[in-house]
Amino acid sequence: MDGIEAKGRAESARYLDETEARLLELSIESSRADWVHATYVTPDTEALSSRAYGRLIGETVARARAANALPAGSLSPEMARKVRMLRVSLPLIAPADRAASEELTGTVAWMQSVYARGSYAPSGSGEPIDLQGLSRLLTEVREPNRLADVWQGWHGVARPMRPRFERYVALANAGSREIGFPDTGAMWRSRYDMEPSEFADDVARVWRDLEPLYRALHAFVRARLREHYGPEVVPADGPIPVHLLGNMWGQTWEHLLPLVGRGTSAPAYDLTATLRARATTPLDMVRYAERFFVSLGFETLPATFWERSMFAKPSDREVVCHASAWDLDFVDDVRLKMCIETTEEEFHVIHHELGHNYYQLAYRTQPFLFRDSANDGFHEAVGDTIALSVTPEYLSRIGLLERTAPPGQDLGLLLRTALEKLAFVPFGYLVDLWRWKVFSGEIEPSEYNASWWALRERYQGIAPPAARSEADFDPGAKYHVAANVPYMRYFLAHVLQFQFHRALARIVDAKGPLHRCSIYGNAEAGARLRSMLAMGASRPWPDALEELTGERRLDATAVVDYFRPLLEWLERENRDQPVGW
Ligand code: X8Z
Ligand code: ZN
């Protein structure tokens, strides 16, 4: 490098350092305002968070532009990566025009508030019930008419979002175009160290590999639901009515286990009952999850985590109950925000969330622009990977299960996990298939709802309990649509977590089947996991994947390996059943 080049390098480095310092400052401001909004939803906190977000976006755009103009030859590979990251670091870009920017960030904050405040008073009862309460009813009630009423009531909450959602799409696209993307969906697809079209092809490939597994589970569940509810309610070979699936979006089905599992596939244990019998508190549940990470050699969570997190739903104000993990200062002010209920499902969600927090702590020494996961699917997969190690053997080791489920109960265990994870796969895939098409204009506002249901039927094989129309806005009844959170990350995570788990099982030299393997207490597994997490976003994600697994691609065989015994059994169970819809 000659003198002039060295000077160029030093100037570019200085600009990027300054950029990282400034964006860190604005990100902290924005996170604090968001935190206050999410834990105290009022018009004022909504306005403050939208303002702070607008400032962060404005600065990010200005700096991305300036960084793009730095002489290419002046950038080291690491600096060039930072410049690329700058352009795709945010899920929302507002237009430079001030009024348009305020309208856009204001709309997103408003949709979040509408979602957070949403409630419905089921027919024949007096009090309005929030999403958590309505979701609980979906897991407990078994009368189809009441279930349909609850489902429709919640979906009514999203109707008023529709006109403003349309504006949000137009404005977000305008912002994305100003920084050189054809639309916001293309921007979202540009965060994966490959061409956006390559990424779309890659997830399509993995979906094709997983589709037969999902269809086998779907056929089995449909047949058992038909036995239970009768042929008038559940068709023999058509889509399953979504309100029967024990989840508002039909995205996970584990609450159906007592209804569809029997004999060899009966539930192996009831963790919810145990937690309740012991009066386990939300805080106790978080402590269990923390102890798992500590057993792998991670540090205990900072004192501020315990002081500043929100673990339970406050009774005196509106909050965003949808669980999330936060990193307020991008160093160690990590927090959990969740309205914890004492159930097995929430026990798993807590592990999911702490996975985010431990990832944040692991990459805190990276430069600011690399303080993120290898790709967003990695962030979603870490805690789920740990939850896969919450086996009966582990639960009995920590005293949460009297007796380890004997070997004969593997089908019940696998069926529970399949109802949670395999059932999720098409939903994880289609939410952003829909949004990609909405942003690109392939789906027009006049067909928002019909196109949503076309995808829901095609991929999930489910149907709404009653006719829907374009007066409805059912996508907005899902948190991530209302809150502008990209969703393909969860599809990725549902593959990656099985790749991580399979690799960790090899590291601990597990002898039995994958679903019986727990890495609890294994220091080597912990060290290997930590070294991947500590990379943050400093390298392309295939490098991070390779670090832990030796693999460089998304690979559905890890899912197949995990569920193999169940898949063989399902095939036999489905012998006389129609498969598909
Ligand atoms: O939103 C979440 C987490 C927070 S990142 C609770 N999940 C998705 C959802 O609830 O729809 C986890 C799995 C899918
Ligand atoms: Zn998450």
Side-chain angles (χ1 to χ4, degrees):
M1 199 185 281
D2 65 25
I4 296 174
E5 278 175 25
K7 184 156 170 277
R9 168 75 54 98
E11 272 169 21
S12 294
R14 190 160 352 98
Y15 185 75
L16 286 174
D17 286 349
E18 211 182 86
T19 295
E20 291 191 287
R22 182 72 187 127
L23 292 182
L24 171 61
E25 223 174 285
L26 290 173
S27 299
I28 293 173
E29 263 181 48
S30 174
S31 302
R32 290 199 197 293
D34 274 350
W35 174 267
V36 179
H37 177 220
T39 57
Y40 189 7
V41 181
T42 74
D44 301 316
T45 56
E46 186 185 305
L48 291 169
S49 83
S50 123
R51 259 305 178 80
Y53 196 28
R55 276 197 298 272
L56 171 62
I57 294 172
E59 187 74 16
T60 304
V61 169
R63 299 225 165 228
R65 273 185 211 288
N68 240 350
L70 297 172
S74 73
L75 303 176
S76 69
E78 187 188 294
M79 287 156 70
R81 184 168 175 80
K82 285 184 183 172
V83 171
R84 285 196 300 275
M85 306 272 296
L86 213 43
R87 220 168 134 248
V88 293
S89 60
L90 297 176
L92 187 71
I93 294 297
D97 177 77
R98 174 123 185 199
S101 169
E102 281 177 9
E103 183 184 353
L104 177 58
T105 57
T107 298
V108 173
W110 174 82
M111 289 193 295
Q112 271 225 50
S113 300
V114 171
Y115 189 97
R117 280 195 294 259
S119 68
Y120 173 67
S123 301
S125 75
E127 289 295 293
I129 302 177
D130 65 10
L131 175 60
Q132 283 205 303
L134 297 171
S135 295
R136 203 175 319 122
L137 287 174
L138 289 185
T139 68
E140 289 166 357
V141 172
R142 295 286 191 231
E143 295 136 75
N145 290 338
R146 279 186 67 204
L147 290 168
D149 176 56
V150 167
W151 187 93
Q152 282 176 278
W154 173 253
H155 283 73
V157 164
R159 281 174 157 229
M161 287 181 200
R162 195 180 166 111
R164 291 188 71 173
F165 185 86
E166 200 179 322
R167 286 287 294 159
Y168 143 86
V169 171
L171 293 166
N173 276 339
S176 304
R177 283 186 197 120
E178 285 181 17
I179 60 166
F181 293 103
D183 63 72
T184 300
M187 181 175 84
W188 288 3
R189 291 191 298 279
S190 301
R191 309 161 136 208
Y192 298 97
D193 301 300
M194 56 173 92
E195 288 301 315
S197 63
E198 244 183 285
F199 177 68
D201 291 346
D202 216 32
V203 286
R205 163 183 69 84
V206 177
W207 163 247
R208 274 195 304 276
D209 290 345
L210 290 173
E211 193 176 3
L213 281 63
Y214 176 74
R215 291 167 83 89
L217 181 68
H218 178 281
F220 166 77
V221 166
R222 180 176 56 195
R224 293 278 161 104
L225 287 176
R226 188 171 155 89
E227 275 175 37
H228 181 84
Y229 286 109
E232 302 77 34
V233 181
V234 182
D237 54 8
I240 302 174
V242 63
H243 58 299
L244 306 180
L245 289 168
N247 174 278
M248 191 59 82
W249 308 275
Q251 69 181 61
T252 53
W253 306 346
E254 69 268 35
H255 290 284
L256 296 183
L257 185 59
L259 211 145
V260 303
R262 61 173 177 241
T264 53
S265 63
Y269 58 86
D270 186 347
L271 183 58
T272 300
T274 309
L275 292 170
R276 290 197 179 147
R278 300 192 180 181
T280 313
T281 65
L283 214 71
D284 294 334
M285 287 167 69
V286 181
R287 291 262 182 221
Y288 277 118
E290 181 197 33
R291 277 199 291 274
F292 199 122
F293 283 90
V294 170
S295 88
L296 298 175
F298 288 85
E299 285 174 34
T300 55
L301 290 161
T304 48
F305 172 89
W306 301 100
E307 292 156 11
R308 299 174 186 175
S309 289
M310 185 190 93
F311 299 112
K313 181 168 182 162
S315 55
D316 59 346
R317 60 185 198 265
E318 301 282 3
V319 300
V320 176
C321 267
H322 190 87
S324 51
W326 297 61
D327 186 3
L328 273 281
D329 65 352
F330 299 83
V331 181
D332 57 7
D333 189 355
V334 294
R335 303 182 199 173
L336 171 63
K337 180 189 66 57
M338 197 171 159
C339 304
I340 299 176
E341 298 194 84
T342 315
T343 63
E344 178 174 24
E345 182 180 4
E346 298 268 281
F347 195 68
H348 288 159
V349 175
I350 293 168
H351 288 75
H352 172 95
E353 298 303 337
L354 288 204
H356 287 306
N357 288 136
Y358 275 106
Y359 211 149
Q360 291 154 352
L361 291 169
Y363 57 56
R364 66 180 154 188
T365 54
Q366 289 286 345
F368 175 68
L369 283 168
F370 296 154
R371 282 181 219 169
D372 203 345
S373 50
N375 71 38
D376 52 5
F378 281 61
H379 231 311
E380 299 304 335
V382 173
D384 282 11
T385 303
I386 301 303
L388 287 176
S389 274
V390 176
T391 58
E393 290 72 18
Y394 162 71
L395 289 171
S396 67
R397 243 178 105 177
I398 62 165
L400 275 178
L401 207 65
E402 310 281 289
R403 211 167 41 84
T404 300
Q409 290 184 305
D410 288 299
L411 283 174
L413 292 173
L414 278 168
L415 183 57
R416 204 211 75 84
T417 310
L419 291 169
E420 182 190 340
K421 313 265 186 188
L422 208 48
F424 178 82
V425 169
F427 184 72
Y429 186 49
L430 75 83
V431 172
D432 277 355
L433 284 192
W434 183 80
R435 273 190 297 193
W436 291 352
K437 287 178 202 268
V438 163
F439 284 125
S440 77
E442 191 182 328
I443 293 174
E444 291 183 20
S446 61
E447 47 186 17
Y448 277 166
N449 219 53
S451 58
W452 173 253
W453 282 106
L455 292 170
R456 297 268 268 166
E457 176 170 342
R458 170 160 170 209
Y459 289 98
Q460 285 183 284
I462 62 170
R468 309 302 286 166
S469 80
E470 293 302 328
D472 297 305
F473 185 55
D474 296 327
K478 177 69 196 162
Y479 173 74
H480 304 70
V481 174
N484 188 54
V485 181
Y487 210 78
M488 199 56 86
R489 56 183 65 178
Y490 301 107
F491 175 77
L492 301 178
H494 276 68
V495 180
L496 287 169
Q497 64 186 271
F498 290 99
Q499 291 183 254
F500 295 167
H501 182 72
R502 182 170 67 179
L504 290 164
R506 282 192 200 120
I507 291 166
V508 306
D509 200 20
K511 297 284 186 283
L514 283 167
H515 67 277
R516 289 278 186 173
C517 168
S518 177
I519 62 167
Y520 179 68
N522 191 294
E524 195 193 342
R528 287 289 299 278
L529 181 60
R530 256 193 319 284
S531 73
M532 177 178 81
L533 304 187
M535 292 166 75
S538 63
R539 307 278 314 149
W541 68 262
D543 291 6
L545 181 59
E546 189 170 21
E547 173 78 18
L548 178 63
T549 67
E551 300 153 19
R552 294 188 59 83
R553 264 161 61 99
L554 280 177
D555 182 1
T557 68
V559 184
V560 178
D561 284 353
Y562 187 97
F563 288 112
R564 195 178 308 278
L566 179 75
L567 297 171
E568 286 163 5
W569 179 81
L570 281 177
E571 215 154 277
R572 287 197 299 280
E573 287 290 310
N574 288 338
R575 229 175 2 224
D576 304 318
Q577 301 297 343
V579 174
W581 50 88

